Structures are given as structure tokens and as C-alpha cells.
Amino acid sequence: MNSHIMPTYARLSVTFARGEGAWLWDENDKRYLDALSGIAVCNLGHAHPAVHDAICKQSAQLLHTSNLYQIAAQEKLANQLTEMSGMTNVFFSNSGAEANEAAIKLARRFGHSKGIETPTIIVMEKSFHGRTLATLSATGNAKIQQSFSPLVDGFVRVPYNDIAAIEAVLKNNTSIAGILVEPVQGEGGVNIPNSDYLIEIRRLCDEYDILMMLDEIQTGIGRTGKFLAFQYSGIRPDVCTLAKALGNGVPIGACLAHGKASSVFVAGTHGSTFGGNPLACSAALAVLETLNTSDLIAQATQKGDAIAKAFNDKLSDNPHIVDIRHLGLMIGIELDRPCGELVVRALDAGLLINVTQDKVIRLLPPLIIDAPQINQLVDTLSALIQELTA
């Protein structure tokens, strides 16, 4: 262990040397099936040729000029994203937390434009929006907020998937400028709301003239079986944030706006030195082109259904399974007990998984996972779960 790295992670004792598709190899050439995709980042798997070629080509031409100048790849990427999302314009950043920071700033500026003295945003319990001070304050996790007070003011928290709670706040608080919510909570335990949840939030945002802001950082770029998860609901938010899989490993974030939100930022109100540089945008363009010229997004639904069914079949007689839930290739298996030790057991068995909220096994396999790999994932993890709960 390198003592010169700040101990902000309880890292597992493995170092990966190379990857290809859904596989990773460590320094001893042991192979692992990656069912986490770098936490929903490598949707196209590792060393995808299109992303590789785009990075190599762009790095030989131009890496960075700054946003003081026009950037052709950035303009092309903005066009692609707005076309695929139905949004109007984009601010580019380097991460999901930065994209959410932009959304929070946008909502506050929108609120001030309406004469609200202290613009406030409704956020959800068990949510996760990032680790910067503002996004940490918006996050519904007291454990990761601990020891970072004073937190940023301007947030009101309600239970997830509870429209009545949102309505109660709106009726009694005239300072609300927006609602920030994940279409599916990832870090919160793969929590999938009612099918009309986003539709009802859209209705309330229209009724009260506030911004509907969706954090699609984990759910976006095909993960749930749609390019963006909100497309299941047939609505369009005012703000949508992206990152993670947009660059397939190259850091890039995006804050998309539409309608009344699209004209809130003007020159000088927000910025980023590195955001949307030629290298990051070229990688993202390769990702979008790959998705647009394949059926990987549609396959995410089919593969997710197959994985969920296989786990249900394998674990049907296990009374310690609370729930198996999924949307596309975003899968959660909830146990009736803490199961964090499964991460190490799975690593020993050549499988990469994650446990969140102590009791939920979170699976985020790459969209390119194939049938034999799905079988290996289900067989290996099911055996480990049966062993743990025996």
C-alpha cells in the first residue's frame, strides 16, 4: 500500500493491469468478470476499440485549448446529446458532482430571477449526488456528511417515491426553486419508484413553476434500457445531469437544460477550465456513435430481464432474499442482513460486485456482457449468497 495516497478509500487488495470487454486481469494475470463497470462507467466494457481509436486520434491532434475558444468536438457532442435527449443546451464539466453543482447553481439563479430570496431545492432521502460540499449537502446520507458541517443550506429533504411529501413541502414553502431526484436511486440501494413518479413530479413542477432536475449520472447512457431513464415516463425535465458512462472512463460530465432552464446561465455565470475539452468530447462522441449504431441499449432491457429471472430462479428457495429489483442492467439484490463481505468473497472467485446500503448487492455489468458471462455471473454470485446465508 502506498502511504503517500490519502486513505479516502478502503481499497481491495488487487491491482488491475489490463482489461478487454467485460474482463479484467490483475498483475498476476488472474481474470475477473467485471459486473460493476467501474461503478456504471464502462458501459462499453474495457478497451473498446471505438473509444480507444478516438482517444488516440484526438491526443495526436489537440488535447486542450480552454473554453475561451470554440471547440468543434464539444459543439458536435452538444448537438448529439440534445438530439438524443430532447433537451436544448449543455454545460460540460469533468464529473457527475460538477454537473450536479451546475444544476444546483442553475436552480438558485432561476429562483433569484423569480424574486426568491433564499432559493431552496427539494431532495430525497437515500439520494446520492456527489461529494463536493453542495452535492454532499444535497445527498441523503448522513454517514458521508458526518464531520463536514456546516453543510450548505438551501435543501429540503423528503422520502423517495413519495409525491404527497413533495406536495406538502410545496404548499408550505414559497422558497422552492426546484426538485432534484434520481430516476432510480443507485447508491441508495437500487430503489425503483412507481411508474408515475416522474410524471407526477413533472406535473408539480409545472404547477408551481419550479425546475424539475434529474440526476441521470448512474442511470443514463443506456444503463436502464433507454438512453436516459426519464424516457420511460414520456416527460422531459428542465435539467438533466450526466457523467459516468458518457466517456466510458474518460472523465466528463454534462448538465443539460431545456425550456425555462436553458437561458438561466449567461456568459460569466459559470465555467470550467477543463470541461468539454477535445479529448473528453471525442471519447464521448465515440460512445454515442457506438450506441447509435448498435442495439446495445435495447439489449440492456433483455439482458437485465434475463439476469433478474435467473437470480429469482436460483434463489427462489432462499428465505433471506428480501427483494430482487432491476431496470435494465441496474440490478439490486437485497438481503435481510449485512452482506458487505460478499465483495471480497466474490473477488476471490473472480467476480467484481458492490454492496450498498449494507444489505443490497448492486450489479452494474457492462452493456456488452454476453450470455456465457451472464451465466457465470449468476452461478458464481448465487452460490456465494447461498453460502453466506446458509
Side-chain angles (χ1 to χ4, degrees), residues 61 188 190 246 294:
Q61 294 175 344
V190 192
L246 181 56
S294 69

Side-chain angles (χ1 to χ4, degrees), residues 328-359:
L329 285 170
M330 196 170 181
I331 303 152
I333 303 172
E334 184 175 355
L335 274 60
D336 64 358
R337 63 191 63 192
C339 57
E341 64 188 272
L342 280 174
V343 174
V344 176
R345 293 192 186 190
L347 184 72
D348 291 340
L351 177 65
L352 305 185
I353 64 168
N354 176 242
V355 168
T356 189
Q357 296 294 309
D358 295 327
K359 300 178 181 180

Side-chain angles (χ1 to χ4, degrees), residues 109-131:
R109 185 171 166 84
F110 172 78
H112 282 297
S113 74
K114 295 177 60 182
I116 300 174
E117 186 175 344
T118 56
T120 302
I121 299 170
I122 296 175
V123 291
M124 309 301 152
E125 295 175 1
K126 294 187 178 180
S127 62
F128 184 85
H129 299 295
R131 291 182 182 269

Side-chain angles (χ1 to χ4, degrees), residues 2 60 108 116 153 165 204 216 227 261 281 349 365 367 390:
N2 189 329
R108 288 191 171 191
I116 300 174
D153 291 333
L204 290 172
E216 291 250 19
F227 177 62
C281 288
L367 307 190

Side-chain angles (χ1 to χ4, degrees), residues 196-233:
D196 65 344
Y197 183 56
L198 296 186
I199 296 170
E200 287 298 294
I201 291 178
R202 177 71 273 174
R203 176 183 64 80
L204 290 172
C205 288
D206 290 339
E207 181 179 340
Y208 285 88
D209 189 29
I210 61 175
L211 299 182
M212 179 182 188
M213 304 190 294
L214 297 183
D215 178 342
E216 291 250 19
I217 289 161
Q218 190 164 147
T219 55
I221 323 298
R223 167 62 49 188
T224 66
K226 297 283 188 182
F227 177 62
L228 299 172
F230 75 73
Q231 292 169 329
Y232 277 106
S233 301

Side-chain angles (χ1 to χ4, degrees), residues 114-316:
K114 295 177 60 182
I116 300 174
E117 186 175 344
T118 56
T120 302
I121 299 170
I122 296 175
V123 291
M124 309 301 152
E125 295 175 1
K126 294 187 178 180
S127 62
F128 184 85
H129 299 295
R131 291 182 182 269
T132 63
L133 201 52
T135 57
L136 182 72
S137 301
T139 291
N141 185 328
K143 182 179 179 181
I144 67 169
Q145 292 173 336
Q146 192 174 8
S147 76
F148 292 109
S149 60
L151 298 176
V152 175
D153 291 333
F155 299 100
V156 174
R157 203 170 310 284
V158 300
Y160 188 65
N161 197 27
D162 189 336
I163 293 297
I166 296 175
E167 286 185 296
V169 171
L170 291 172
K171 288 176 181 177
N172 294 289
N173 190 330
T174 59
S175 296
I176 302 299
I179 300 173
L180 176 61
V181 61
E182 299 157 278
V184 176
Q185 288 187 329
E187 299 291 334
V190 192
N191 300 316
I192 302 170
N194 296 338
S195 59
D196 65 344
Y197 183 56
L198 296 186
I199 296 170
E200 287 298 294
I201 291 178
R202 177 71 273 174
R203 176 183 64 80
L204 290 172
C205 288
D206 290 339
E207 181 179 340
Y208 285 88
D209 189 29
I210 61 175
L211 299 182
M212 179 182 188
M213 304 190 294
L214 297 183
D215 178 342
E216 291 250 19
I217 289 161
Q218 190 164 147
T219 55
I221 323 298
R223 167 62 49 188
T224 66
K226 297 283 188 182
F227 177 62
L228 299 172
F230 75 73
Q231 292 169 329
Y232 277 106
S233 301
I235 55 94
R236 180 162 44 188
D238 301 297
V239 179
C240 175
T241 56
L242 303 174
K244 285 191 179 291
L246 181 56
N248 208 63
V250 176
I252 184 171
C255 178
L256 287 69
H258 177 69
K260 57 194 174 189
S262 63
S263 58
V264 172
F265 283 154
V266 297
T269 54
H270 197 42
S272 171
T273 297
F274 295 105
N277 74 21
L279 183 71
C281 288
S282 294
L285 282 166
V287 170
L288 298 187
E289 182 179 1
T290 300
L291 294 177
N292 282 330
T293 56
S294 69
D295 60 352
L296 284 172
I297 294 178
Q299 286 182 24
T301 297
Q302 300 160 12
K303 293 174 181 178
D305 289 347
I307 292 172
K309 181 181 184 304
F311 275 119
N312 274 299
D313 291 344
K314 289 272 187 181
L315 301 172
S316 60

